[in-house]
Amino acid sequence: GENVEQHPSTLSVQEGDSAVIKCTYSDSASNYFPWYKQELGKRPQLIIDIRSNVGEKKDQRIAVTLNKTAKHFSLHITETQPEDSAVYFCAASAKGGADGLTFGKGTHLIIQP
Amino acid sequence: KAGVTQTPRYLIKTRGQQVTLSCSPISGHRSVSWYQQTPGQGLQFLFEYFSETQRNKGNFPGRFSGRQFSNSRSEMNVSTLELGDSALYLCASSFQTALNTEAFFGQGTRLTVV
């Protein structure tokens, strides 16, 4: 089955700096890669997703890049703000959608004031 | 529009008991997936239901089962509870069409097995 590795497990950055979280996947059939943000005590919420026919996608301060050949994808957050502090999960699915997602173990992003 | 609703929010059960968790998806969503979240293993896929049929299943023992009703509401059952079943159980619903596959999560049911 699919295996998703996520690094780092904890990331501390100064407010205003950029943060990068990286994930690798094992199943070359995976074609849908969402990123979720989970604040303490709250539900995971989708922040951005990308499909395998696209190399990069941006939404304001957030961007995701996908390298199908190397089987890795990354989340980039620019101009970080205190409200970006949360746990971020990457995921992969070979079913093109949200069912059967395999998640990474998560990255705890800490924004230092 | 109401979000995904899970009940109950908290549960404490004893080893060996069984438990049933409920998930009401967003109106119009026909796909409901269940996930187990623990500090050590992260988010792990349990199973997915679409139009009352289980379409996908994760790597969990047969003690974990589920079902979906005609109104898309779903229940998940865990029998013969073990201490290791203590976790946050999340369900997620989606339209699951080719153009619209975003999964919306509920707030989860926190199960503690003692």
Side-chain angles (χ1 to χ4, degrees), chain B residues 35-101:
Chain B
Y35 292 86
Q36 181 194 66
Q37 186 173 26
T38 58
Q41 297 300 316
L43 277 152
Q44 292 187 286
F45 172 69
L46 282 152
F47 29 66
E48 185 248 355
Y49 286 86
F50 184 88
S51 293
E52 301 179 67
T53 301
Q54 185 183 91
R55 286 201 304 191
N56 298 296
K57 191 175 189 309
N59 191 25
F60 277 80
R63 299 186 296 108
F64 292 81
S65 63
R67 59 178 175 167
Q68 186 179 35
F69 302 95
S70 58
N71 62 358
S72 293
R73 189 177 72 85
S74 177
E75 285 182 348
M76 173 191 141
N77 186 75
V78 188
S79 62
T80 319
L81 284 165
E82 301 176 359
L83 295 179
D85 296 333
S86 294
L88 179 67
Y89 290 88
L90 291 159
C91 79
S93 75
S94 64
F95 275 114
Q96 281 296 72
T97 64
L99 296 176
N100 192 338
T101 56

Short mmCIF file of all heavy atoms in Angstrom, two decimals, chain B residues 35-101:
data_model
loop_
_atom_site.label_atom_id
_atom_site.label_comp_id
_atom_site.label_asym_id
_atom_site.label_seq_id
_atom_site.Cartn_x
_atom_site.Cartn_y
_atom_site.Cartn_z
N TYR B 35 -11.46 7.90 9.97
CA TYR B 35 -10.04 7.88 10.27
C TYR B 35 -9.83 7.78 11.77
O TYR B 35 -10.61 8.31 12.56
CB TYR B 35 -9.34 9.15 9.75
CG TYR B 35 -9.31 9.26 8.25
CD1 TYR B 35 -10.37 9.80 7.54
CD2 TYR B 35 -8.21 8.79 7.53
CE1 TYR B 35 -10.35 9.88 6.16
CE2 TYR B 35 -8.18 8.87 6.15
CZ TYR B 35 -9.26 9.41 5.48
OH TYR B 35 -9.22 9.48 4.11
N GLN B 36 -8.74 7.13 12.14
CA GLN B 36 -8.32 7.06 13.55
C GLN B 36 -7.09 7.95 13.70
O GLN B 36 -6.14 7.84 12.92
CB GLN B 36 -7.96 5.62 13.93
CG GLN B 36 -7.54 5.47 15.40
CD GLN B 36 -6.88 4.13 15.66
OE1 GLN B 36 -5.79 3.86 15.15
NE2 GLN B 36 -7.52 3.29 16.47
N GLN B 37 -7.12 8.85 14.69
CA GLN B 37 -5.96 9.71 14.92
C GLN B 37 -5.39 9.46 16.30
O GLN B 37 -6.08 9.59 17.31
CB GLN B 37 -6.34 11.20 14.78
CG GLN B 37 -5.13 12.12 14.88
CD GLN B 37 -5.44 13.58 14.59
OE1 GLN B 37 -6.57 14.04 14.76
NE2 GLN B 37 -4.45 14.31 14.10
N THR B 38 -4.12 9.10 16.34
CA THR B 38 -3.40 8.90 17.59
C THR B 38 -2.07 9.64 17.52
O THR B 38 -1.55 9.88 16.42
CB THR B 38 -3.11 7.41 17.86
OG1 THR B 38 -2.34 6.89 16.76
CG2 THR B 38 -4.38 6.61 18.01
N PRO B 39 -1.50 10.02 18.67
CA PRO B 39 -0.23 10.75 18.65
C PRO B 39 0.89 9.95 17.98
O PRO B 39 1.71 10.49 17.26
CB PRO B 39 0.06 10.98 20.13
CG PRO B 39 -1.27 10.92 20.79
CD PRO B 39 -2.06 9.91 20.03
N GLY B 40 0.89 8.64 18.16
CA GLY B 40 1.97 7.83 17.63
C GLY B 40 1.84 7.49 16.16
O GLY B 40 2.81 7.49 15.42
N GLN B 41 0.64 7.21 15.72
CA GLN B 41 0.41 6.75 14.34
C GLN B 41 -0.19 7.81 13.42
O GLN B 41 -0.32 7.57 12.22
CB GLN B 41 -0.53 5.53 14.35
CG GLN B 41 0.04 4.32 15.07
CD GLN B 41 1.33 3.85 14.44
OE1 GLN B 41 1.43 3.77 13.21
NE2 GLN B 41 2.32 3.56 15.25
N GLY B 42 -0.56 8.95 13.96
CA GLY B 42 -1.13 9.99 13.11
C GLY B 42 -2.54 9.62 12.67
O GLY B 42 -3.28 8.95 13.38
N LEU B 43 -2.88 10.03 11.45
CA LEU B 43 -4.21 9.78 10.90
C LEU B 43 -4.17 8.52 10.05
O LEU B 43 -3.43 8.44 9.07
CB LEU B 43 -4.64 10.95 10.01
CG LEU B 43 -5.24 12.16 10.70
CD1 LEU B 43 -4.99 13.42 9.90
CD2 LEU B 43 -6.74 11.97 10.90
N GLN B 44 -4.99 7.54 10.40
CA GLN B 44 -5.01 6.30 9.65
C GLN B 44 -6.41 6.02 9.13
O GLN B 44 -7.39 6.11 9.88
CB GLN B 44 -4.53 5.14 10.52
CG GLN B 44 -3.06 5.24 10.89
CD GLN B 44 -2.58 4.00 11.61
OE1 GLN B 44 -2.90 3.79 12.76
NE2 GLN B 44 -1.83 3.17 10.90
N PHE B 45 -6.49 5.64 7.86
CA PHE B 45 -7.75 5.40 7.18
C PHE B 45 -8.37 4.09 7.67
O PHE B 45 -7.71 3.04 7.68
CB PHE B 45 -7.51 5.35 5.68
CG PHE B 45 -8.68 4.93 4.85
CD1 PHE B 45 -9.80 5.75 4.74
CD2 PHE B 45 -8.67 3.72 4.18
CE1 PHE B 45 -10.88 5.35 3.95
CE2 PHE B 45 -9.73 3.32 3.39
CZ PHE B 45 -10.84 4.14 3.28
N LEU B 46 -9.64 4.16 8.03
CA LEU B 46 -10.38 2.96 8.45
C LEU B 46 -11.19 2.38 7.30
O LEU B 46 -10.99 1.24 6.91
CB LEU B 46 -11.30 3.31 9.63
CG LEU B 46 -10.62 3.42 10.98
CD1 LEU B 46 -11.37 4.38 11.89
CD2 LEU B 46 -10.50 2.06 11.64
N PHE B 47 -12.15 3.14 6.82
CA PHE B 47 -12.98 2.70 5.68
C PHE B 47 -13.76 3.87 5.12
O PHE B 47 -13.84 4.93 5.73
CB PHE B 47 -13.95 1.55 6.04
CG PHE B 47 -14.41 1.52 7.47
CD1 PHE B 47 -15.20 2.54 8.00
CD2 PHE B 47 -14.05 0.48 8.30
CE1 PHE B 47 -15.62 2.51 9.31
CE2 PHE B 47 -14.47 0.43 9.62
CZ PHE B 47 -15.25 1.46 10.13
N GLU B 48 -14.30 3.64 3.92
CA GLU B 48 -15.09 4.65 3.24
C GLU B 48 -16.38 4.06 2.73
O GLU B 48 -16.38 2.93 2.21
CB GLU B 48 -14.30 5.26 2.08
CG GLU B 48 -15.02 6.43 1.38
CD GLU B 48 -15.47 6.13 -0.04
OE1 GLU B 48 -15.15 5.04 -0.56
OE2 GLU B 48 -16.15 7.00 -0.63
N TYR B 49 -17.46 4.78 2.89
CA TYR B 49 -18.76 4.35 2.40
C TYR B 49 -19.28 5.36 1.38
O TYR B 49 -19.09 6.57 1.53
CB TYR B 49 -19.77 4.22 3.55
CG TYR B 49 -19.51 3.01 4.39
CD1 TYR B 49 -18.60 3.07 5.44
CD2 TYR B 49 -20.12 1.81 4.11
CE1 TYR B 49 -18.32 1.95 6.20
CE2 TYR B 49 -19.87 0.68 4.87
CZ TYR B 49 -18.95 0.76 5.91
OH TYR B 49 -18.68 -0.35 6.65
N PHE B 50 -19.93 4.80 0.37
CA PHE B 50 -20.54 5.64 -0.66
C PHE B 50 -21.85 4.97 -1.05
O PHE B 50 -21.86 3.79 -1.43
CB PHE B 50 -19.61 5.76 -1.88
CG PHE B 50 -20.12 6.68 -2.95
CD1 PHE B 50 -19.84 8.03 -2.92
CD2 PHE B 50 -20.88 6.18 -4.01
CE1 PHE B 50 -20.31 8.88 -3.91
CE2 PHE B 50 -21.34 7.02 -5.00
CZ PHE B 50 -21.07 8.37 -4.94
N SER B 51 -22.93 5.71 -0.95
CA SER B 51 -24.26 5.17 -1.27
C SER B 51 -24.49 3.82 -0.61
O SER B 51 -24.87 2.84 -1.26
CB SER B 51 -24.42 5.05 -2.80
OG SER B 51 -24.44 6.32 -3.39
N GLU B 52 -24.23 3.79 0.68
CA GLU B 52 -24.52 2.64 1.56
C GLU B 52 -23.59 1.44 1.33
O GLU B 52 -23.81 0.38 1.93
CB GLU B 52 -25.98 2.19 1.41
CG GLU B 52 -26.99 3.29 1.76
CD GLU B 52 -28.43 2.84 1.58
OE1 GLU B 52 -28.87 1.97 2.34
OE2 GLU B 52 -29.10 3.38 0.66
N THR B 53 -22.58 1.59 0.50
CA THR B 53 -21.67 0.48 0.20
C THR B 53 -20.26 0.83 0.67
O THR B 53 -19.79 1.96 0.43
CB THR B 53 -21.65 0.19 -1.31
OG1 THR B 53 -22.96 -0.13 -1.74
CG2 THR B 53 -20.70 -0.96 -1.62
N GLN B 54 -19.60 -0.14 1.29
CA GLN B 54 -18.20 0.10 1.67
C GLN B 54 -17.36 -0.05 0.42
O GLN B 54 -17.26 -1.13 -0.17
CB GLN B 54 -17.75 -0.91 2.74
CG GLN B 54 -16.35 -0.63 3.25
CD GLN B 54 -15.89 -1.67 4.26
OE1 GLN B 54 -15.28 -2.68 3.91
NE2 GLN B 54 -16.18 -1.42 5.52
N ARG B 55 -16.66 1.03 0.05
CA ARG B 55 -15.88 1.01 -1.19
C ARG B 55 -14.41 0.74 -0.92
O ARG B 55 -13.72 0.15 -1.74
CB ARG B 55 -15.98 2.34 -1.93
CG ARG B 55 -17.28 2.58 -2.61
CD ARG B 55 -17.16 3.62 -3.70
NE ARG B 55 -16.62 4.90 -3.22
CZ ARG B 55 -16.61 6.00 -3.95
NH1 ARG B 55 -17.11 5.98 -5.18
NH2 ARG B 55 -16.13 7.12 -3.47
N ASN B 56 -13.92 1.22 0.21
CA ASN B 56 -12.51 1.06 0.52
C ASN B 56 -12.34 0.73 1.99
O ASN B 56 -13.15 1.15 2.83
CB ASN B 56 -11.74 2.35 0.22
CG ASN B 56 -11.79 2.73 -1.23
OD1 ASN B 56 -11.30 2.03 -2.09
ND2 ASN B 56 -12.43 3.84 -1.52
N LYS B 57 -11.28 0.00 2.29
CA LYS B 57 -11.05 -0.39 3.68
C LYS B 57 -9.57 -0.28 3.97
O LYS B 57 -8.74 -0.67 3.14
CB LYS B 57 -11.52 -1.83 3.88
CG LYS B 57 -11.57 -2.29 5.32
CD LYS B 57 -12.17 -3.68 5.40
CE LYS B 57 -12.46 -4.10 6.83
NZ LYS B 57 -11.33 -3.95 7.75
N GLY B 58 -9.25 0.23 5.14
CA GLY B 58 -7.86 0.32 5.56
C GLY B 58 -7.43 -0.96 6.24
O GLY B 58 -8.13 -1.98 6.22
N ASN B 59 -6.27 -0.89 6.87
CA ASN B 59 -5.67 -2.08 7.45
C ASN B 59 -5.96 -2.17 8.94
O ASN B 59 -5.06 -2.06 9.76
CB ASN B 59 -4.15 -2.04 7.19
CG ASN B 59 -3.51 -3.35 7.53
OD1 ASN B 59 -4.16 -4.39 7.51
ND2 ASN B 59 -2.24 -3.30 7.85
N PHE B 60 -7.22 -2.35 9.28
CA PHE B 60 -7.64 -2.49 10.67
C PHE B 60 -8.31 -3.84 10.86
O PHE B 60 -8.88 -4.40 9.92
CB PHE B 60 -8.62 -1.36 11.05
CG PHE B 60 -7.93 -0.08 11.43
CD1 PHE B 60 -7.45 0.79 10.46
CD2 PHE B 60 -7.76 0.26 12.76
CE1 PHE B 60 -6.80 1.96 10.81
CE2 PHE B 60 -7.13 1.44 13.12
CZ PHE B 60 -6.64 2.28 12.13
N PRO B 61 -8.26 -4.37 12.10
CA PRO B 61 -8.89 -5.68 12.34
C PRO B 61 -10.40 -5.64 12.18
O PRO B 61 -11.01 -4.58 12.18
CB PRO B 61 -8.49 -6.01 13.79
CG PRO B 61 -8.10 -4.72 14.40
CD PRO B 61 -7.59 -3.85 13.32
N GLY B 62 -10.99 -6.83 12.08
CA GLY B 62 -12.42 -6.95 11.84
C GLY B 62 -13.28 -6.42 12.98
O GLY B 62 -14.50 -6.26 12.82
N ARG B 63 -12.65 -6.11 14.13
CA ARG B 63 -13.41 -5.53 15.25
C ARG B 63 -13.95 -4.14 14.87
O ARG B 63 -14.88 -3.64 15.49
CB ARG B 63 -12.51 -5.37 16.48
CG ARG B 63 -11.92 -6.66 17.02
CD ARG B 63 -11.17 -6.40 18.32
NE ARG B 63 -10.01 -5.52 18.16
CZ ARG B 63 -9.94 -4.28 18.60
NH1 ARG B 63 -10.97 -3.73 19.21
NH2 ARG B 63 -8.84 -3.57 18.43
N PHE B 64 -13.35 -3.56 13.87
CA PHE B 64 -13.78 -2.24 13.40
C PHE B 64 -14.71 -2.44 12.21
O PHE B 64 -14.32 -3.06 11.22
CB PHE B 64 -12.58 -1.39 12.98
CG PHE B 64 -11.69 -0.98 14.11
CD1 PHE B 64 -10.74 -1.87 14.62
CD2 PHE B 64 -11.79 0.28 14.67
CE1 PHE B 64 -9.92 -1.49 15.67
CE2 PHE B 64 -10.97 0.67 15.72
CZ PHE B 64 -10.03 -0.22 16.22
N SER B 65 -15.91 -1.95 12.32
CA SER B 65 -16.86 -2.10 11.23
C SER B 65 -17.68 -0.82 11.10
O SER B 65 -17.66 0.04 11.98
CB SER B 65 -17.78 -3.30 11.47
OG SER B 65 -18.56 -3.08 12.63
N GLY B 66 -18.40 -0.73 10.01
CA GLY B 66 -19.20 0.46 9.82
C GLY B 66 -20.39 0.18 8.94
O GLY B 66 -20.55 -0.94 8.41
N ARG B 67 -21.20 1.20 8.77
CA ARG B 67 -22.29 1.11 7.83
C ARG B 67 -22.76 2.51 7.47
O ARG B 67 -22.43 3.48 8.17
CB ARG B 67 -23.45 0.30 8.39
CG ARG B 67 -24.05 0.82 9.69
CD ARG B 67 -25.22 -0.05 10.10
NE ARG B 67 -25.75 0.33 11.40
CZ ARG B 67 -26.91 -0.11 11.87
NH1 ARG B 67 -27.66 -0.94 11.16
NH2 ARG B 67 -27.34 0.27 13.06
N GLN B 68 -23.51 2.58 6.40
CA GLN B 68 -24.04 3.88 5.97
C GLN B 68 -25.51 3.70 5.65
O GLN B 68 -25.92 2.68 5.06
CB GLN B 68 -23.29 4.40 4.75
CG GLN B 68 -23.71 5.82 4.36
CD GLN B 68 -22.95 6.33 3.16
OE1 GLN B 68 -22.62 5.58 2.24
NE2 GLN B 68 -22.66 7.62 3.15
N PHE B 69 -26.28 4.67 6.03
CA PHE B 69 -27.73 4.61 5.84
C PHE B 69 -28.12 5.36 4.57
O PHE B 69 -27.31 6.06 3.96
CB PHE B 69 -28.43 5.20 7.07
CG PHE B 69 -28.07 4.49 8.35
CD1 PHE B 69 -27.06 4.96 9.16
CD2 PHE B 69 -28.73 3.33 8.72
CE1 PHE B 69 -26.71 4.30 10.33
CE2 PHE B 69 -28.39 2.66 9.88
CZ PHE B 69 -27.38 3.14 10.69
N SER B 70 -29.38 5.22 4.20
CA SER B 70 -29.85 5.81 2.94
C SER B 70 -29.75 7.34 2.95
O SER B 70 -29.70 7.98 1.90
CB SER B 70 -31.28 5.37 2.64
OG SER B 70 -32.14 5.74 3.70
N ASN B 71 -29.72 7.95 4.14
CA ASN B 71 -29.59 9.42 4.22
C ASN B 71 -28.11 9.84 4.30
O ASN B 71 -27.82 11.00 4.60
CB ASN B 71 -30.36 9.96 5.41
CG ASN B 71 -29.85 9.43 6.74
OD1 ASN B 71 -28.93 8.61 6.78
ND2 ASN B 71 -30.44 9.88 7.83
N SER B 72 -27.22 8.91 4.04
CA SER B 72 -25.76 9.10 4.04
C SER B 72 -25.13 9.16 5.43
O SER B 72 -23.91 9.17 5.53
CB SER B 72 -25.33 10.34 3.24
OG SER B 72 -25.60 10.13 1.88
N ARG B 73 -25.93 9.21 6.47
CA ARG B 73 -25.36 9.14 7.82
C ARG B 73 -24.62 7.82 7.97
O ARG B 73 -25.01 6.80 7.39
CB ARG B 73 -26.45 9.26 8.87
CG ARG B 73 -25.93 9.41 10.29
CD ARG B 73 -27.07 9.60 11.29
NE ARG B 73 -27.85 8.39 11.49
CZ ARG B 73 -27.53 7.42 12.34
NH1 ARG B 73 -26.43 7.52 13.08
NH2 ARG B 73 -28.30 6.36 12.47
N SER B 74 -23.54 7.86 8.75
CA SER B 74 -22.73 6.66 8.89
C SER B 74 -22.48 6.37 10.36
O SER B 74 -22.46 7.29 11.20
CB SER B 74 -21.41 6.84 8.15
OG SER B 74 -20.56 5.71 8.32
N GLU B 75 -22.34 5.13 10.66
CA GLU B 75 -21.96 4.71 11.99
C GLU B 75 -20.73 3.83 11.90
O GLU B 75 -20.52 3.12 10.92
CB GLU B 75 -23.08 3.90 12.66
CG GLU B 75 -24.25 4.73 13.12
CD GLU B 75 -25.31 3.90 13.82
OE1 GLU B 75 -25.26 2.65 13.75
OE2 GLU B 75 -26.21 4.50 14.42
N MET B 76 -19.94 3.90 12.97
CA MET B 76 -18.77 3.05 13.06
C MET B 76 -18.86 2.30 14.39
O MET B 76 -19.23 2.89 15.41
CB MET B 76 -17.53 3.94 13.01
CG MET B 76 -16.28 3.24 13.26
SD MET B 76 -14.91 4.34 13.48
CE MET B 76 -14.13 3.40 14.76
N ASN B 77 -18.57 1.02 14.36
CA ASN B 77 -18.65 0.19 15.55
C ASN B 77 -17.29 -0.44 15.84
O ASN B 77 -16.60 -0.89 14.92
CB ASN B 77 -19.69 -0.91 15.35
CG ASN B 77 -19.93 -1.70 16.60
OD1 ASN B 77 -20.58 -1.24 17.52
ND2 ASN B 77 -19.41 -2.92 16.64
N VAL B 78 -16.93 -0.43 17.10
CA VAL B 78 -15.72 -1.15 17.51
C VAL B 78 -16.13 -2.13 18.60
O VAL B 78 -16.71 -1.74 19.61
CB VAL B 78 -14.63 -0.21 18.06
CG1 VAL B 78 -13.33 -1.00 18.28
CG2 VAL B 78 -14.39 0.95 17.12
N SER B 79 -15.87 -3.41 18.38
CA SER B 79 -16.24 -4.42 19.36
C SER B 79 -15.00 -4.84 20.16
O SER B 79 -13.86 -4.60 19.74
CB SER B 79 -16.85 -5.63 18.65
OG SER B 79 -15.91 -6.22 17.79
N THR B 80 -15.24 -5.47 21.29
CA THR B 80 -14.17 -5.99 22.15
C THR B 80 -13.05 -4.96 22.27
O THR B 80 -11.89 -5.19 21.87
CB THR B 80 -13.61 -7.32 21.59
OG1 THR B 80 -14.68 -8.12 21.10
CG2 THR B 80 -12.91 -8.10 22.70
N LEU B 81 -13.36 -3.82 22.84
CA LEU B 81 -12.42 -2.71 22.91
C LEU B 81 -11.12 -3.08 23.62
O LEU B 81 -11.12 -3.83 24.62
CB LEU B 81 -13.07 -1.52 23.63
CG LEU B 81 -14.08 -0.73 22.81
CD1 LEU B 81 -14.91 0.17 23.71
CD2 LEU B 81 -13.38 0.10 21.73
N GLU B 82 -10.03 -2.53 23.08
CA GLU B 82 -8.70 -2.69 23.67
C GLU B 82 -8.18 -1.31 24.06
O GLU B 82 -8.62 -0.30 23.51
CB GLU B 82 -7.76 -3.35 22.67
CG GLU B 82 -8.23 -4.72 22.21
CD GLU B 82 -7.31 -5.30 21.15
OE1 GLU B 82 -6.32 -4.63 20.76
OE2 GLU B 82 -7.60 -6.43 20.69
N LEU B 83 -7.21 -1.31 25.00
CA LEU B 83 -6.65 -0.03 25.43
C LEU B 83 -6.11 0.77 24.25
O LEU B 83 -6.22 1.99 24.19
CB LEU B 83 -5.53 -0.26 26.46
CG LEU B 83 -5.96 -0.87 27.80
CD1 LEU B 83 -4.73 -1.07 28.69
CD2 LEU B 83 -6.99 0.01 28.50
N GLY B 84 -5.53 0.05 23.30
CA GLY B 84 -4.94 0.71 22.12
C GLY B 84 -5.95 1.34 21.18
O GLY B 84 -5.56 2.02 20.24
N ASP B 85 -7.22 1.11 21.43
CA ASP B 85 -8.25 1.74 20.59
C ASP B 85 -8.54 3.17 21.03
O ASP B 85 -9.29 3.88 20.35
CB ASP B 85 -9.55 0.93 20.65
CG ASP B 85 -9.39 -0.48 20.08
OD1 ASP B 85 -8.50 -0.67 19.22
OD2 ASP B 85 -10.14 -1.38 20.51
N SER B 86 -7.95 3.59 22.13
CA SER B 86 -8.12 4.97 22.59
C SER B 86 -7.55 5.90 21.53
O SER B 86 -6.38 5.79 21.15
CB SER B 86 -7.39 5.19 23.92
OG SER B 86 -7.98 4.43 24.94
N ALA B 87 -8.37 6.80 21.04
CA ALA B 87 -7.96 7.67 19.94
C ALA B 87 -9.06 8.68 19.66
O ALA B 87 -10.15 8.62 20.23
CB ALA B 87 -7.73 6.83 18.67
N LEU B 88 -8.73 9.60 18.76
CA LEU B 88 -9.73 10.52 18.21
C LEU B 88 -10.20 9.91 16.90
O LEU B 88 -9.39 9.61 16.03
CB LEU B 88 -9.12 11.88 17.97
CG LEU B 88 -10.05 12.95 17.38
CD1 LEU B 88 -11.15 13.32 18.37
CD2 LEU B 88 -9.26 14.19 16.97
N TYR B 89 -11.49 9.66 16.78
CA TYR B 89 -12.04 9.09 15.56
C TYR B 89 -12.72 10.21 14.76
O TYR B 89 -13.64 10.86 15.24
CB TYR B 89 -13.02 7.96 15.88
CG TYR B 89 -12.29 6.76 16.41
CD1 TYR B 89 -12.02 6.63 17.77
CD2 TYR B 89 -11.80 5.77 15.55
CE1 TYR B 89 -11.30 5.55 18.27
CE2 TYR B 89 -11.08 4.69 16.03
CZ TYR B 89 -10.83 4.58 17.39
OH TYR B 89 -10.11 3.51 17.87
N LEU B 90 -12.21 10.38 13.55
CA LEU B 90 -12.69 11.46 12.69
C LEU B 90 -13.42 10.89 11.51
O LEU B 90 -13.00 9.89 10.93
CB LEU B 90 -11.51 12.29 12.18
CG LEU B 90 -10.76 13.14 13.21
CD1 LEU B 90 -9.37 13.47 12.72
CD2 LEU B 90 -11.52 14.41 13.50
N CYS B 91 -14.51 11.53 11.13
CA CYS B 91 -15.12 11.16 9.87
C CYS B 91 -15.02 12.36 8.93
O CYS B 91 -14.89 13.52 9.38
CB CYS B 91 -16.56 10.68 10.02
SG CYS B 91 -17.79 11.96 10.22
N ALA B 92 -15.02 12.08 7.66
CA ALA B 92 -14.93 13.13 6.65
C ALA B 92 -15.93 12.83 5.56
O ALA B 92 -16.11 11.67 5.16
CB ALA B 92 -13.52 13.18 6.05
N SER B 93 -16.61 13.85 5.07
CA SER B 93 -17.56 13.64 3.98
C SER B 93 -17.16 14.45 2.77
O SER B 93 -16.46 15.47 2.88
CB SER B 93 -18.99 14.00 4.42
OG SER B 93 -19.20 15.39 4.49
N SER B 94 -17.58 13.98 1.61
CA SER B 94 -17.28 14.70 0.38
C SER B 94 -18.32 14.35 -0.67
O SER B 94 -19.04 13.37 -0.56
CB SER B 94 -15.88 14.35 -0.14
OG SER B 94 -15.81 12.98 -0.49
N PHE B 95 -18.37 15.21 -1.73
CA PHE B 95 -19.27 14.93 -2.84
C PHE B 95 -18.77 13.73 -3.64
O PHE B 95 -19.53 12.93 -4.14
CB PHE B 95 -19.35 16.14 -3.78
CG PHE B 95 -20.33 17.17 -3.35
CD1 PHE B 95 -19.92 18.43 -2.95
CD2 PHE B 95 -21.70 16.90 -3.37
CE1 PHE B 95 -20.83 19.39 -2.56
CE2 PHE B 95 -22.62 17.86 -2.97
CZ PHE B 95 -22.18 19.11 -2.57
N GLN B 96 -17.45 13.66 -3.78
CA GLN B 96 -16.80 12.59 -4.56
C GLN B 96 -17.26 12.58 -6.01
O GLN B 96 -17.60 11.55 -6.57
CB GLN B 96 -17.06 11.22 -3.92
CG GLN B 96 -16.15 10.95 -2.74
CD GLN B 96 -14.69 10.89 -3.13
OE1 GLN B 96 -14.06 11.90 -3.44
NE2 GLN B 96 -14.12 9.72 -3.13
N THR B 97 -17.27 13.74 -6.63
CA THR B 97 -17.44 13.79 -8.08
C THR B 97 -16.07 14.09 -8.66
O THR B 97 -15.14 14.42 -7.93
CB THR B 97 -18.44 14.88 -8.50
OG1 THR B 97 -17.87 16.15 -8.13
CG2 THR B 97 -19.77 14.71 -7.80
N ALA B 98 -15.95 14.00 -9.95
CA ALA B 98 -14.64 14.20 -10.58
C ALA B 98 -14.10 15.60 -10.31
O ALA B 98 -12.90 15.81 -10.22
CB ALA B 98 -14.75 13.95 -12.08
N LEU B 99 -14.99 16.57 -10.19
CA LEU B 99 -14.55 17.95 -10.01
C LEU B 99 -14.55 18.41 -8.57
O LEU B 99 -14.02 19.46 -8.26
CB LEU B 99 -15.45 18.88 -10.84
CG LEU B 99 -15.40 18.68 -12.36
CD1 LEU B 99 -16.41 19.60 -13.05
CD2 LEU B 99 -14.00 18.96 -12.89
N ASN B 100 -15.14 17.64 -7.71
CA ASN B 100 -15.32 18.11 -6.33
C ASN B 100 -15.03 16.98 -5.38
O ASN B 100 -15.88 16.12 -5.15
CB ASN B 100 -16.74 18.64 -6.15
CG ASN B 100 -16.89 19.40 -4.85
OD1 ASN B 100 -16.13 19.22 -3.91
ND2 ASN B 100 -17.89 20.25 -4.78
N THR B 101 -13.81 16.96 -4.86
CA THR B 101 -13.44 15.82 -4.03
C THR B 101 -12.95 16.24 -2.66
O THR B 101 -12.47 15.42 -1.90
CB THR B 101 -12.33 15.00 -4.71
OG1 THR B 101 -11.24 15.88 -4.98
CG2 THR B 101 -12.82 14.37 -6.00
#
